[in-house]
Amino acid sequence: MTSVRPLAALLLAALLGGLCAPVAPAQPADASRAVALAQSLDDRAAFVDSLLSMMTLEEKLGQLAQYPSQWSDTGPSVPAGRKEDVREGKVGSFLSLYGAEATREMQEIAVEESRLGIPLLFAYDVIHGYRTIFPIPLGEASSFNPDLARRTARAATREATAGGVHWTFAPMVDLSREPRWGRVMEGAGEDPYLNSVLARARVRGFQGPSVAADTTVLATAKHFVAYGAPRGGRDYNTVDLSERTLHEIYLPPFYAALDAGARSVMPGFNEIAGVPMHAHDGLIDGLLREDWNWDGLVVSDYTAVWELTNHGVAATDRAAGIQALEAGVDVDMVSGIYGDTLSTAVRSGDLRLEEVNEATRRVLRAKWDVGLFDDPYRYGSPAREDEVILSDAHRALARTAAHQSMVLLKNDNDTLPLGDDVESLAVIGPLGDDARSILGEWAASGRAEDAVSVLQGLRDRPGVDVTYVPGLPGVMSADTSNVADAVAAARGADAAILVLGEEYNMSGEAASRTSIELPGAQQQLAEAVAAAGTPTAAVLLNGRPLALTDLDATVPAILEAWYPGTEAGPAVADVLFGDVNPSGKLPMTFPRVTGQIPVFYNHKNTGRPPVEGQDYTSTYLDTPWTPLYPFGHGLSYTSFDYGAPRLNTSSITVNDSLRVAVDVTNTGDRAGATVAQLYLRDPVAQITRPVQELRGAARVRLAPGETRTVRFVLTMDDLAYHGPGMERVVEPGRFEVQVGTSSADVQTASFRLTGSTTAVPLDDPATP
């Protein structure tokens, strides 16, 4: 743009605008009414109201419409006909249109060729990286390191914004106790506290100190709410749970994300107790906006507005659009229903114009906040793309993140790390040379050619001769005809590494499984290789907890690597050879068999608590009731000793906090990090409480023989729960503090809370 219209012309246009104003011809390329108005007004509310007064009903609905890009060999582009829609003001944002050149082209059309010149938002699923791919969120959660989560989100955002992206549909904060559900890979596991801590960190990484910076994006807390509790583990399935479970288990991570400043929320595909989330006025306009005092932008999931007809709560597309907008869903992703049907609904009186105006205000506020009215072209930059995408710094961070995400599940006889005497290595398994699966699902613009496979990472290690035999045609294959080749390779090597698990598309959206045991003939392959007598370890690449009872009985060492990302190969090699000491802890329980699901650490005690071998208690006839690997489990190449927790007092009141200290000593001969975990138990309350609840975690790195005191503080917020009337309260009585290296390995101290039952309200997570 080289000039702007005078304010008088803008005000005249405002007088001519409104519900029935005709759409004027496109303005010349040197004019943008919206940008000019923004330059004349420095108050967001005044600007939004003034711009809104200029807009026709169709232009308002256009701001609420988000459409997808299409993919070709040259990258994402806009489908035929959409450019004209942009010129006519019928598009407010695009999904999955990225890249500095592609986004610049569409932004120029919006700003310089549409009647008002309102800039577009470009949105993309930047979940665990943009082009440099970091470990999947479930893997990163194993680090128990919120600063790492913030840093990887920050790096991903630098790359994405260089490509013109303003808005990401992350973090996914869906807590889940259901490993059959493929989307557990996208979240942080089963615990409300860990999910909440990481939600805050990721929001801060995406949005930075200010979303006005051109290296930050709007973060989206998704999928609101309880999407992670589908019946049968089947994606998109119905959810039916108690109000108490909703508020105590599934809502806290969303509250944390909004409290950290998340500017956007996406409802889930699910229903709760018969009400689809995209029509759930009580939870969106009610809980989110009224009770929590949050007024950010709500965007639908992909075609989810249209899917209200499949749910059976709307007979027509038009009715679905009315329900969603009235429930508080501002932006219709992909369906096209808002733009195609709601103008007639407003004109007929079936939908209030003010509903459209409020949603449009929220979209315009978001565009103001990210600075698009100040400079519509401030994000995408080819020079910045060249500078930051796959930079050395980002690759180094990806390698560090992969190190910290890996969990050593088992290590009998110190099988790992591999010693200097290992000069020949047999890498076995169909995933060993798979550079695509190591990226996991939702890998944005990540490419297999950028990634380093496990095989390549081991081959790059000097002084080690590596032989590779897949052993099976694929992870799902039952064909064992080549297992003998794998056994021969193992016998001819100093050590064997089995690379087992799931291909990337076996987890993620629409990737539910009825059995989470190792797929195909991988267990038979492992048994045959282990029987060869060569020291053998298994490396797992997967996006969910697996039921590994048979593998645990077969091999002496198991390293859970999840999908580690772009730098998977070097990171796995670092850990296997002991250059890096593993420190990850499980954010989700690993069952013994699929039939135990759901199994999670913070369960209730029941009236007949499980006692193995005792009849008429809450156990199984055919397998132990305990998990194979509990929440918080993770071994190290060194050993740690935890002292008993020390409390600063044995009695507190509601006006006090409790300070907890525990001494942790590295009793081995290697430096290493551990995650000290603090759990709380309320043994007697008006409402039954879990046997333990995580309330703190601290990574501590210790040299051999070093002791360090780890300190925690418990406040009334940590002691509070939802009482008989669903009010949030603390009750007097005895509490237990448990500190240790996993949920199943803790030491306990107790204290008393004196006084009377006291309300502990939540603070409002209002965002600007």
Side-chain angles (χ1 to χ4, degrees):
M1 290 180 302
T2 58
S3 65
V4 296
R5 294 191 165 207
L7 183 59
L10 296 172
L11 296 177
L12 177 62
L15 293 174
L16 296 175
L19 175 59
C20 298
V23 178
Q27 300 299 313
D30 63 349
S32 169
R33 293 182 177 186
V35 173
L37 181 62
Q39 292 173 353
S40 68
L41 296 172
D42 60 3
D43 178 78
R44 186 182 71 171
F47 162 75
V48 169
D49 286 343
S50 296
L51 182 57
L52 195 68
S53 71
M54 299 179 185
M55 299 172 71
T56 67
L57 175 58
E58 284 72 19
E59 287 169 334
K60 293 172 183 176
L61 292 170
Q63 289 301 302
L64 311 185
Q66 181 175 107
Y67 294 103
S69 67
Q70 62 184 9
W71 181 260
S72 68
D73 292 341
T74 59
S77 61
V78 171
R82 265 322 155 216
K83 290 182 181 179
E84 191 56 37
D85 288 340
V86 173
R87 291 184 179 97
E88 294 176 4
K90 295 180 178 179
V91 181
S93 57
F94 276 104
L95 170 66
S96 299
L97 184 65
Y98 60 89
E101 292 183 2
T103 55
R104 174 76 185 215
E105 177 191 7
M106 293 310 303
Q107 198 69 288
E108 286 179 347
I109 294 173
V111 172
E112 300 176 8
E113 299 182 36
S114 69
R115 186 177 80 91
L116 293 177
I118 300 174
L120 296 163
L121 280 170
F122 299 111
Y124 194 32
D125 284 295
V126 182
I127 308 300
H128 55 109
Y130 175 76
R131 181 73 176 273
T132 306
I133 304 303
F134 301 99
I136 59 171
L138 186 63
E140 190 175 71
S142 300
S143 72
F144 279 64
N145 187 347
D147 185 61
L148 178 67
R150 179 193 61 79
R151 291 165 59 206
T152 58
R154 185 90 284 281
T157 301
R158 289 191 191 98
E159 293 191 357
T161 53
V165 176
H166 311 120
W167 189 6
T168 181
F169 299 133
M172 191 188 95
V173 297
D174 293 316
L175 179 147
S176 187
R177 298 163 162 177
E178 178 50 87
R180 291 174 297 181
W181 185 55
R183 295 196 82 165
V184 295
M185 58 77 60
E186 215 180 328
E190 71 189 44
D191 178 67
Y193 172 86
L194 184 59
N195 269 270
S196 298
V197 167
L198 294 176
R200 290 180 189 273
R202 288 171 176 151
V203 167
R204 289 166 180 155
F206 288 129
Q207 294 191 170
S210 169
V211 292
D214 61 4
T215 57
T216 62
V217 292
L218 296 169
T220 304
K222 67 178 187 182
H223 306 82
F224 190 76
V225 60
Y227 182 42
R231 287 187 171 182
R234 187 158 48 91
D235 208 354
Y236 318 120
N237 207 359
T238 58
V239 171
D240 203 352
L241 42 73
S242 71
E243 183 182 11
R244 182 172 307 283
T245 299
L246 177 67
H247 281 267
E248 292 189 346
I249 302 299
Y250 292 96
L251 280 170
F254 285 94
Y255 185 90
L258 302 190
D259 192 45
R263 301 298 186 93
S264 177
V265 164
M266 179 185 288
F269 284 115
N270 58 294
E271 66 169 64
I272 295 181
V275 182
M277 280 308 309
H278 281 75
H280 210 308
D281 176 75
L283 285 175
I284 297 175
D285 269 346
L287 179 73
L288 271 182
R289 291 205 167 110
E290 293 180 20
D291 296 350
W292 288 1
N293 193 33
W294 179 80
D295 198 23
L297 188 61
V298 176
V299 56
S300 84
D301 210 333
Y302 200 102
T303 69
V305 172
W306 170 79
E307 290 166 24
L308 292 176
T309 60
N310 284 343
H311 279 287
V313 296
T316 64
D317 290 356
R318 185 174 182 267
I322 292 171
Q323 286 191 43
L325 193 66
E326 288 183 338
V329 178
D330 302 311
V331 175
D332 173 14
M333 182 193 290
V334 177
S335 296
I337 289 174
Y338 283 9
D340 292 345
T341 72
L342 293 191
S343 61
T344 61
V346 172
R347 291 191 169 99
S348 68
D350 293 331
L351 176 66
R352 294 188 307 117
L353 176 61
E354 189 52 34
E355 298 278 5
V356 176
N357 287 344
E358 278 303 303
T360 307
R361 282 190 183 96
R362 286 190 279 264
V363 173
L364 296 177
R365 285 202 297 259
K367 293 183 177 185
W368 171 284
D369 289 343
V370 299
L372 293 182
F373 292 109
D374 179 53
D375 178 1
Y377 311 113
R378 63 202 304 266
Y379 276 65
S381 165
R384 280 181 52 209
E385 285 182 313
D386 291 341
E387 177 188 353
V388 302
I389 288 177
L390 287 172
S391 68
D392 290 345
H394 288 179
R395 279 189 173 272
L397 179 60
R399 190 165 176 170
T400 296
H403 291 155
Q404 293 191 21
S405 72
M406 295 181 199
V407 183
L408 186 61
L409 298 177
K410 178 184 181 183
N411 194 26
D412 288 355
N413 306 317
D414 292 329
T415 301
L416 294 176
L418 302 175
D420 294 337
D421 57 340
V422 173
E423 298 178 352
S424 60
L425 194 62
V427 176
I428 296 166
L431 291 171
D433 197 25
D434 188 338
R436 174 59 188 89
S437 287
I438 57 177
L439 301 180
E441 263 289 18
W442 294 110
S445 61
R447 302 175 186 177
E449 58 263 33
D450 299 332
V452 185
S453 70
V454 173
L455 175 63
Q456 190 60 52
L458 291 168
R459 279 183 169 162
D460 289 343
R461 190 167 186 90
V464 181
D465 180 37
V466 176
T467 300
Y468 176 55
V469 179
L472 302 171
V475 298
M476 293 291 291
S477 176
D479 180 1
T480 58
S481 58
N482 293 323
V483 168
D485 295 337
V487 172
R491 285 179 176 152
D494 294 329
I497 300 298
L498 289 158
V499 186
L500 309 174
E502 303 173 311
E503 290 181 325
Y504 75 95
N505 56 5
M506 294 180 68
S507 64
E509 186 172 349
S512 299
R513 295 180 59 195
T514 58
S515 167
I516 62 168
E517 277 74 20
L518 275 175
Q522 291 184 81
Q523 176 59 33
Q524 292 96 304
L525 174 65
E527 290 171 358
V529 170
T534 300
T536 301
V539 173
L540 298 175
L541 302 177
N542 47 289
R544 53 162 55 83
L546 298 176
L548 300 171
T549 296
D550 291 340
L551 185 66
D552 181 83
T554 301
V555 296
I558 303 174
L559 179 68
E560 174 59 82
W562 309 105
Y563 298 124
T566 301
E567 290 292 303
V572 168
D574 292 340
V575 172
L576 289 179
F577 279 91
D579 299 340
V580 170
N581 194 344
S583 59
K585 300 286 186 176
L586 291 180
M588 200 166 179
T589 300
F590 276 45
R592 296 176 186 273
V593 294
T594 300
Q596 283 182 289
I597 297 169
V599 56
F600 47 90
Y601 87 93
N602 51 349
H603 58 84
K604 300 293 186 70
N605 209 30
T606 85
R608 294 186 177 184
V611 179
E612 207 62 61
Q614 183 173 321
D615 290 341
Y616 302 105
T617 67
S618 185
T619 59
Y620 296 105
L621 291 176
D622 53 354
T623 196
W625 71 273
T626 55
L628 181 63
Y629 305 122
F631 176 87
H633 169 75
L635 305 177
S636 170
Y637 295 152
T638 189
S639 55
F640 298 97
D641 179 71
Y642 281 71
R646 305 189 304 276
L647 313 182
N648 68 310
T649 180
S650 61
S651 178
I652 61 172
T653 71
V654 293
N655 297 315
D656 300 325
S657 58
L658 182 77
R659 293 190 293 278
V660 181
V662 60
D663 292 336
V664 182
T665 303
N666 182 344
T667 56
D669 58 4
R670 289 176 178 263
T674 184
V675 178
Q677 301 160 44
L678 180 144
Y679 298 88
L680 185 71
R681 185 182 184 195
D682 185 355
V684 179
Q686 293 187 74
I687 302 296
T688 60
R689 306 301 302 139
V691 295
Q692 55 186 166
E693 298 174 275
L694 186 68
R695 284 292 183 265
R699 284 180 60 88
V700 54
R701 183 169 182 80
L702 299 170
E706 182 182 3
T707 297
R708 187 174 301 175
T709 301
V710 181
R711 303 181 190 278
F712 301 95
V713 176
L714 290 172
T715 68
M716 291 306 108
D717 222 34
D718 296 305
L719 274 57
Y721 81 105
H722 289 79
M726 289 303 297
E727 71 284 9
R728 201 161 175 269
V729 299
V730 291
E731 295 174 351
R734 187 177 71 87
F735 290 80
E736 294 178 1
V737 174
Q738 306 169 351
V739 181
T741 187
S742 80
S743 60
D745 184 5
V746 294
Q747 296 192 60
T748 301
S750 64
F751 67 95
R752 296 197 68 84
L753 175 67
T754 62
S756 57
T757 300
T758 304
V760 182
L762 287 168
D763 295 327
D764 287 337
T767 57

